[in-house]
Amino acid sequence: MRMNFAKKTFRHGLRLVTTASLTVLLASAAWAQPLKVLMVSPEQSGVLQSGGLAHAVTGLAAGLNEQGIKTEVLMPHFLEMKAQDLKDTGERFETSVDWREGKAHKISRFSLLKTDATKVPTLFLRHDHREGETNYFDNRSHGAAKVFYAPEAAIGESFGAFSKAAADYILSKNYDVVILNDWTTGLIAAHLDEARQQGKTVPKVIFAIHNMAYQGMFPKSLVEFLGHNPRHFQVEGYEFWGQVNFLKAGLHYSDLSYTVSDRYSKEIQTPRFGAGLDGLMRRLSAEGRLKGILNGITSEEWDPSREKSGLKHRFTPQDLTGKALGKSELQAELALPVQAEVPLFIMTSRLAEQKGLEYLIDAIDVIAKERAVQFVVIGNGDERYKDRLLELEKQHPTKVRFRDFSGPMEAKLTRYGDFFVNGAWFEPSGLNQFFALLNGTIPVVSAAGGLMDSVKHRQNGLLFEIQPGANGEGYDSRATAEKAVNAFREAIAIYQDKKLLNEMRVRGMKEDHSWSSRIRAHFIETFEELLNRKLTPALPAPNVIPACRDAFPGAA
Ligand code: GLC
């Protein structure tokens, strides 16, 4: 039947020989009216990265390009980052700052640079500071107190000035849609709103919320520094308890906001997760301006059947031998007893309170005393958790390992581990559970945000509840540790039931969490709704493949 399909397609003028090339061709559908999208973000994979934000931005932007939607990323130009082949576009943007008595006392100059050496074409706004002046994005480390994005004392001014220049850049082009990401980009929405009020043509503005807990709050004096119209500094604007709130600006002034999972979009409408903005979130939801779209992943990068440097063994859902071999070598490498019958739990996580370390460390201690298990945790962050994890390793030398985060170790653990643990008390989306699912490493996760949207209890993983703390806030550490221990016990039982274990693994491995599936299922429709027009691909989109097959009797 494949032959038939190829022949038939050939008659339609497409030079296709194999179904593989068909998929490639369809995956890059050209659109009758090509759409232009700009994503603005402080991070991007391979350039500057603190965590999931960079992966999510690059993955979505690359996925959109693959689907024929022309997408670029705009970032600040950091003094310390990895970016090659930067070319000066010759475009300059001047931003007036330090406003007092109705006039600007300073001009901040920005140059627009561009590179195609990144996965997604990327533009950088470089602050051309004068002598003696600090660069807005001088993020070179200062000893132990590493400042990540910009000099901390003036980070509001840095991103404030960047936002003005970014808005000017956007207005000088013809993007259809701009996607802003997290608090650092929120003020751009206020500037674009200002332009819209003045009758200028402005693209549709989407604000992506990766984490409500980081809002970017600065003293009222920033309004004057940036020379903003005072109308913004009010409840119906970006004012928040007497301060300028960048995140609120993004939420208030964008046409649409979305969180990186549907569940999180509901959670942040409650005081427990809304970080003070739950009222605004309820309002946006009532106005149809709040959505949830679960993150995706670049599946090829995590596919266990593919070669990946440092990973010796490969496997497929049909044959998991390579997973078992990889596990024994991993146990040996970490100087853990090489025992196939002992389940290997892995955790790869920022060492932050959000991630549930308060109760997870206690829960690991309890299960390690009680059962034959192995736990390998990798991560960077809070020293207090690092110390406790190292202490745990000392107490359980044959069962627990802690290592600093490293990309190659993350890849190994994800591919060869038995269970993946994330017990965050809130998790906007999470990405590692998708990597784990694809690798047959069963997620044991808290029923929160994106974890709850991607894990179905006893189908592809296990969920445990976070017990709220006093007055329904946060979490109760002791009660939640008990829930986690119970989930670990259940996972151990599943590990002993080889049939169920295999079923759950294979089910997870066969799920499609790729960015292209998310784009086809959600983003195209979201753009259509916003632009109020149907986006028609010139070629059939990939999701019509099954229907095409149906049209040819006998299709596989
Ligand atoms: C943040 C969130 C995480 C999400 C990531 C990318 O890091 O905490 O849940 O996956 O952003 O959207």
Side-chain angles (χ1 to χ4, degrees):
M1 180 53 227
R2 290 222 161 119
M3 291 251 315
N4 252 349
F5 184 41
K7 265 193 249 151
K8 179 98 176 181
T9 326
F10 190 76
R11 263 186 263 134
H12 284 280
L14 300 176
R15 284 169 208 287
L16 292 171
V17 188
T18 61
T19 40
S21 58
L22 171 72
T23 316
V24 170
L25 199 101
L26 292 181
S28 52
W31 299 84
Q33 271 179 301
L35 201 68
K36 288 190 70 186
V37 175
L38 179 74
M39 296 188 68
V40 191
S41 165
E43 298 189 23
Q44 211 196 144
S45 305
V47 180
L48 187 90
Q49 167 150 16
S50 70
L53 172 65
H55 278 312
V57 168
T58 309
L60 174 58
L64 288 170
N65 276 323
E66 270 163 31
Q67 308 266 323
I69 294 178
K70 207 170 169 301
T71 306
E72 296 169 321
V73 174
L74 175 70
M75 292 179 65
H77 177 276
F78 296 98
L79 295 193
E80 186 180 290
M81 64 175 177
K82 287 189 202 113
Q84 279 152 11
D85 290 336
L86 296 191
K87 301 202 176 55
D88 192 342
T89 63
E91 289 168 73
R92 300 285 179 267
F93 297 92
E94 294 195 341
T95 290
S96 46
V97 292
D98 193 7
W99 285 71
R100 277 171 278 136
E101 287 116 29
K103 65 174 206 278
H105 295 257
K106 234 171 81 183
I107 301 285
S108 293
R109 296 190 164 78
F110 289 89
S111 302
L112 189 74
L113 311 180
K114 190 170 179 173
T115 181
D116 290 318
T118 34
K119 195 164 182 198
V120 179
T122 306
L123 299 145
F124 294 93
L125 276 170
R126 184 184 67 198
H127 179 208
D128 298 324
H129 62 278
R130 298 222 172 92
E131 268 213 40
E133 221 181 43
T134 309
N135 186 293
Y136 283 136
F137 295 102
D138 185 352
N139 63 333
R140 291 171 298 183
S141 37
H142 303 286
K146 189 166 159 69
V147 176
F148 185 69
Y149 287 147
E152 210 161 10
I155 194 169
E157 292 177 6
S158 299
F159 280 105
F162 167 78
S163 299
K164 282 180 102 174
D168 285 346
Y169 162 74
I170 291 164
L171 294 168
S172 74
K173 303 288 172 199
N174 59 346
Y175 292 105
D176 296 287
V177 175
V178 171
I179 306 178
L180 308 174
N181 291 277
D182 271 354
W183 77 265
T184 58
T185 63
L187 274 197
I188 299 172
H191 287 288
L192 293 176
D193 180 71
E194 198 65 47
R196 207 176 263 169
Q197 302 282 329
Q198 290 166 18
K200 296 194 182 133
T201 309
V202 173
K204 294 294 175 192
V205 183
I206 301 182
F207 187 67
I209 308 160
H210 299 263
N211 199 331
M212 283 287 281
Y214 302 98
Q215 302 192 351
M217 281 189 272
F218 303 98
K220 186 183 174 199
S221 54
L222 189 63
V223 181
E224 191 174 52
F225 177 82
L226 295 171
H228 280 180
N229 186 327
R231 80 176 168 95
H232 300 296
F233 195 75
Q234 51 165 321
V235 177
E236 290 292 310
Y238 55 49
E239 188 270 350
F240 184 74
W241 298 100
Q243 291 197 295
V244 176
N245 183 325
F246 277 47
L247 187 90
K248 190 178 173 205
L251 297 167
H252 183 82
Y253 291 108
S254 296
D255 297 299
L256 175 77
S257 296
Y258 79 88
T259 56
V260 284
S261 69
D262 187 54
R263 173 80 191 174
Y264 191 58
S265 77
K266 309 280 182 329
E267 287 171 343
I268 57 177
Q269 294 178 47
T270 68
R272 185 166 165 223
F273 297 102
L277 290 171
D278 48 295
L280 174 60
M281 302 321 295
R282 287 194 293 276
R283 198 177 94 187
L284 292 182
S285 169
E287 291 171 0
R289 287 169 61 207
L290 177 65
K291 272 198 176 198
I293 307 180
L294 192 59
N295 272 334
I297 57 166
T298 310
S299 303
E300 307 84 79
E301 283 174 20
W302 294 90
D303 182 347
S305 68
R306 294 197 180 210
E307 298 272 351
K308 193 163 178 168
S309 82
L311 299 179
K312 218 158 88 195
H313 303 284
R314 293 184 285 157
F315 52 89
T316 61
Q318 291 72 39
D319 181 0
L320 290 163
T321 321
K323 191 170 173 75
L325 294 172
K327 174 178 166 180
S328 343
E329 286 173 21
L330 181 61
Q331 287 171 321
E333 181 184 338
L334 293 163
L336 284 166
V338 178
Q339 289 169 324
E341 66 285 5
V342 175
L344 176 64
F345 289 76
I346 63 141
M347 235 179 104
T348 149
S349 168
R350 272 188 296 121
L351 300 182
E353 196 248 5
Q354 174 199 340
K355 299 291 180 182
L357 274 308
E358 288 296 335
Y359 41 83
L360 285 175
I361 294 174
D362 292 342
I364 297 173
D365 189 29
V366 171
I367 200 82
K369 279 182 186 134
E370 178 188 299
R371 302 287 178 96
V373 284
Q374 292 178 352
F375 263 88
V376 181
V377 183
I378 61 167
N380 286 342
D382 202 325
E383 291 294 316
R384 159 174 81 111
Y385 297 130
K386 191 174 164 166
D387 292 346
R388 282 180 62 195
L389 285 160
L390 285 169
E391 187 52 42
L392 208 59
E393 172 169 341
K394 251 192 238 152
Q395 279 165 21
H396 305 282
T398 57
K399 294 183 176 177
V400 177
R401 287 291 173 274
F402 170 75
R403 296 281 182 276
D404 284 337
F405 178 85
S406 94
M409 186 47 92
E410 180 184 42
K412 240 180 233 179
L413 296 176
T414 305
R415 193 175 274 197
Y416 304 130
D418 293 312
F419 295 99
F420 161 78
V421 178
N422 179 348
W425 74 271
F426 72 94
E427 188 64 274
S429 163
L431 295 171
N432 288 74
Q433 76 273 20
F434 300 129
F435 306 155
L437 282 166
L438 193 59
N439 283 274
T441 304
I442 299 175
V444 179
V445 297
S446 45
L451 297 172
M452 202 171 171
D453 283 355
S454 39
V455 173
K456 302 281 161 283
H457 194 62
R458 294 187 73 87
Q459 297 295 306
N460 61 355
L462 293 178
L463 287 168
F464 64 89
E465 267 172 64
I466 304 288
Q467 294 299 109
N471 314 318
E473 282 169 19
Y475 53 85
D476 176 322
S477 207
R478 267 182 65 177
T480 307
E482 264 173 46
K483 297 274 177 190
V485 171
N486 282 334
F488 297 155
R489 288 185 187 128
E490 196 170 347
I492 296 165
I494 289 172
Y495 192 74
Q496 280 145 7
D497 179 344
K498 294 298 170 208
K499 188 167 168 283
L500 179 57
L501 176 74
N502 198 55
E503 271 169 24
M504 287 177 70
R505 278 185 166 156
V506 169
R507 202 172 285 133
M509 291 177 83
K510 289 185 171 170
E511 289 172 2
D512 182 1
H513 294 288
S514 64
W515 273 113
S516 39
S517 74
R518 303 285 196 257
I519 291 168
R520 289 195 302 267
H522 303 287
F523 282 90
I524 305 282
E525 187 188 273
T526 301
F527 294 157
E528 283 179 341
E529 273 167 20
L530 267 182
L531 296 164
N532 214 356
R533 69 173 202 247
K534 194 92 190 132
L535 301 173
T536 325
L539 283 169
N543 56 354
V544 302
I545 289 175
C548 281
R549 288 207 181 136
D550 290 344
F552 304 104

